[in-house]
Amino acid sequence: MLFFLITCFTFITFLYKSLSLKPLPLWSSEVRLLSFWFWKDLLILNPFKKGFLQPFITSKMMSLRRKSFTSRVENVEANSEMSVLDLPELALECILEKLPPEGLCSMASVCNSLREKCTSDYLWERHMKEKWGRVIGPAAYREWQWHIASRNDSSFFNQAKQRGLMTYLSQFWPISLVRSNSSNSFKKKHSTPVDSVMSWYLALESGKFWFPAQVYNRENGHVGFMLSCYDAELSYDPRTDTFQARYPPHGRRAIAIETGVTWDRLRAPPLDTSPHDLYISDCLTELFPGDHIEIQWRRNKEFPYGWWYGVVGHSETCDGNEYYCRCHDSVIYLLIATLNGPKSKKHKHHFRCVHIRIKITDTVVLEFNQYTPGSRWRTTNIDRKDHREEGNEADGFYGGIRKLQRNEEKSMWRRLWPSDVLE
């Protein structure tokens, strides 16, 4: 036994002297220190060897720490050039605000300090609004929150399984190594908060996150959907800068999928209303001839609603004169000619004009001028006072009405106007 100990000690001394003849890289000291941490943890598990190697380990660790600290100080002094972190806080923020999303991602991987700045919601909210603000609405945000919650639940389950595995490994492996490796992997995996605006932006850019929005003229401009806007689930394709749309099933029809949907055919839902729910109109008393509107319509009760473009028209008894139009008042004036006096050739007939003001049904006329005159889809009437869903199985069902206020919405529908009149 004594011969074995002398042989091992001689071999270790010879190996140590031979390796010290050549300069070692900076990471070699950390590797040596790691090996001593291994023996330290091993001594915790086996206290009988602690008294034999403890003085040697303690002295060696102190010397390695001093050498490592000295080399790091010399390295810092040799590279004492100015970095971007030496800039004033305001100047650094101005630089980061000018960076595109790709630049922020690159800067975030430099160091911990820049990662914290480059992943802040303040910087990413501007990029989110510029690129995705027109197609992202409250429904998409709720979908993202649900996506985050589902990810957190799954990660919590995985962490629970990981903690159980770490407890098992700690019985056979040094405690400090297991603890340091698990903490480092956890930090790398969760360097970007999942509930940050940056994570949402990158999820949209990757195309892996499907979000709800609305598509004009669905199914590549199918003639049956001209000047309409339907709800769909969208996924972005970064290679073509277009979207893939997934429409809900209509009745017995399967899910319709459309590819190559461009940005100009998308919008965020203007109302936070499900396509299967009737929108309660709040503008019926404010509708005048010439107003631009969108109205819900569906083919039958099994279909979801789509929004169709139209204008408020004049009643049949109105000549459309803007100065004498009384469609909004829902009254008409009748000119009645009456004959006075006896019917005789010697006497001239005397006529008396009587204006009678008659109250009629409070009706609003809606026109869809993309259809040819005489088409059953050209006009429809709704009750101004008590409008709910109106229609039948032949002509479809008309739902809630939304009055268009912004010129951007009106110009969007005019831009989509079909080149040919629809039947």
Side-chain angles (χ1 to χ4, degrees):
M1 185 66 181
L2 180 60
F3 176 77
F4 177 74
L5 292 176
I6 294 174
T7 304
C8 293
F9 183 78
T10 306
F11 175 74
I12 294 173
T13 306
F14 173 76
L15 183 62
Y16 177 76
K17 294 296 183 179
S18 62
L19 292 177
S20 61
L21 296 177
K22 297 181 180 181
L24 297 177
L26 295 176
W27 52 266
S28 61
S29 60
E30 299 179 358
V31 174
R32 292 181 183 178
L33 186 60
L34 183 63
S35 63
F36 284 106
W37 278 110
F38 173 81
W39 283 106
K40 181 181 178 181
D41 289 325
L42 190 61
L43 289 174
I44 296 176
L45 299 176
N46 193 353
F48 296 102
K49 298 182 181 180
K50 183 175 181 180
F52 179 73
L53 295 177
Q54 184 66 26
F56 175 74
I57 293 175
T58 304
S59 61
K60 198 64 181 175
M61 286 174 56
M62 293 299 294
S63 62
L64 288 176
R65 286 178 179 176
R66 285 195 296 269
K67 291 181 180 180
S68 177
F69 178 76
T70 305
S71 62
R72 290 178 181 177
V73 171
E74 293 176 354
N75 190 20
V76 171
E77 292 179 355
N79 300 325
S80 59
E81 298 179 358
M82 183 178 180
S83 66
V84 68
L85 294 177
D86 298 326
L87 294 173
E89 193 72 18
L90 181 59
L92 182 57
E93 289 183 1
C94 292
I95 294 175
L96 296 180
E97 288 178 357
K98 301 295 182 181
L99 291 179
E102 297 82 4
L104 287 176
C105 291
S106 300
M107 291 289 286
S109 60
V110 174
C111 62
N112 292 331
S113 179
L114 286 177
R115 181 185 298 113
E116 182 179 356
K117 296 179 182 298
C118 294
T119 59
S120 64
D121 291 346
Y122 169 75
L123 294 176
W124 285 93
E125 284 175 353
R126 180 175 63 87
H127 295 294
M128 176 67 75
K129 183 178 180 180
E130 289 180 356
K131 184 168 185 178
W132 296 96
R134 195 170 60 85
V135 298
I136 293 297
Y141 182 74
R142 285 196 301 269
E143 187 71 18
W144 172 246
Q145 293 297 320
W146 179 87
H147 179 71
I148 293 175
S150 62
R151 287 181 59 183
N152 289 338
D153 292 341
S154 61
S155 62
F156 176 79
F157 179 71
N158 293 333
Q159 290 176 24
K161 293 194 298 184
Q162 184 181 13
R163 284 196 296 268
L165 178 62
M166 292 303 172
T167 305
Y168 176 78
L169 290 178
S170 63
Q171 300 176 4
F172 305 97
W173 197 252
I175 300 174
S176 61
L177 292 182
V178 174
R179 189 176 302 166
S180 62
N181 289 336
S182 62
S183 61
N184 290 336
S185 62
F186 181 81
K187 290 180 180 179
K188 291 179 180 179
K189 185 177 180 181
H190 297 271
S191 58
T192 302
V194 295
D195 58 345
S196 64
V197 181
M198 177 183 177
S199 297
W200 191 13
Y201 184 95
L202 296 179
L204 291 170
E205 285 284 334
S206 66
K208 298 179 180 179
F209 174 67
W210 291 76
F211 63 94
Q214 291 182 347
V215 183
Y216 292 99
N217 294 354
R218 56 171 287 180
E219 299 183 24
N220 296 315
H222 189 281
V223 66
F225 297 101
M226 296 300 292
L227 290 189
S228 67
C229 195
Y230 274 80
D231 288 80
E233 291 183 344
L234 299 174
S235 173
Y236 180 66
D237 186 356
R239 297 172 300 176
T240 60
D241 194 28
T242 58
F243 292 83
Q244 181 179 3
R246 189 167 58 194
Y247 302 101
H250 282 198
R252 297 181 180 179
R253 290 183 55 184
I255 296 177
I257 298 178
E258 180 183 356
T259 59
V261 180
T262 54
W263 284 87
D264 57 350
R265 290 179 52 200
L266 302 179
R267 75 173 183 182
L271 299 173
D272 195 13
T273 303
S274 170
H276 297 276
D277 297 336
L278 175 68
Y279 171 66
I280 305 302
S281 308
D282 57 356
C283 62
L284 296 178
T285 59
E286 304 172 359
L287 294 179
F288 291 87
D291 287 341
H292 300 256
I293 59 97
E294 292 179 8
I295 186 170
Q296 288 178 316
W297 184 86
R298 59 180 173 179
R299 192 71 181 85
N300 57 49
K301 297 288 187 177
E302 298 179 356
F303 286 12
Y305 285 111
W307 289 96
W308 293 74
Y309 171 73
V311 294
V312 180
H314 296 271
S315 63
E316 295 180 357
T317 58
C318 181
D319 59 0
N321 191 308
E322 61 178 333
Y323 297 104
Y324 299 100
C325 175
R326 296 184 179 274
C327 295
H328 181 66
D329 296 332
S330 298
V331 297
I332 59 175
Y333 290 84
L334 298 181
L335 180 61
I336 301 177
T338 61
L339 181 63
N340 292 332
K343 295 181 179 179
S344 174
K345 295 183 179 179
K346 296 181 180 180
H347 298 85
K348 295 182 179 180
H349 296 283
H350 298 279
F351 294 93
R352 184 179 62 181
C353 296
V354 179
H355 292 80
I356 303 177
R357 191 173 186 269
I358 302 177
K359 187 73 174 179
I360 63 173
T361 304
D362 202 346
T363 302
V364 178
V365 179
L366 302 181
E367 296 181 351
F368 305 94
N369 296 323
Q370 63 269 30
Y371 294 97
T372 184
S375 172
R376 62 174 179 171
W377 312 110
R378 175 79 177 193
T379 61
T380 189
N381 299 331
I382 62 169
D383 188 355
R384 188 191 301 270
K385 289 185 176 180
D386 187 24
H387 170 63
R388 294 289 178 177
E389 187 180 54
E390 300 177 6
N392 50 59
E393 294 291 339
D395 299 332
F397 296 88
Y398 296 87
I401 299 176
R402 171 177 172 262
K403 182 178 179 181
L404 302 183
Q405 304 286 354
R406 297 187 296 113
N407 292 329
E408 293 81 2
E409 293 180 308
K410 302 175 185 178
S411 61
M412 182 63 187
W413 287 113
R414 287 193 293 264
R415 188 179 60 80
L416 296 172
W417 198 268
S419 57
D420 299 325
V421 180
L422 305 179
E423 297 294 335

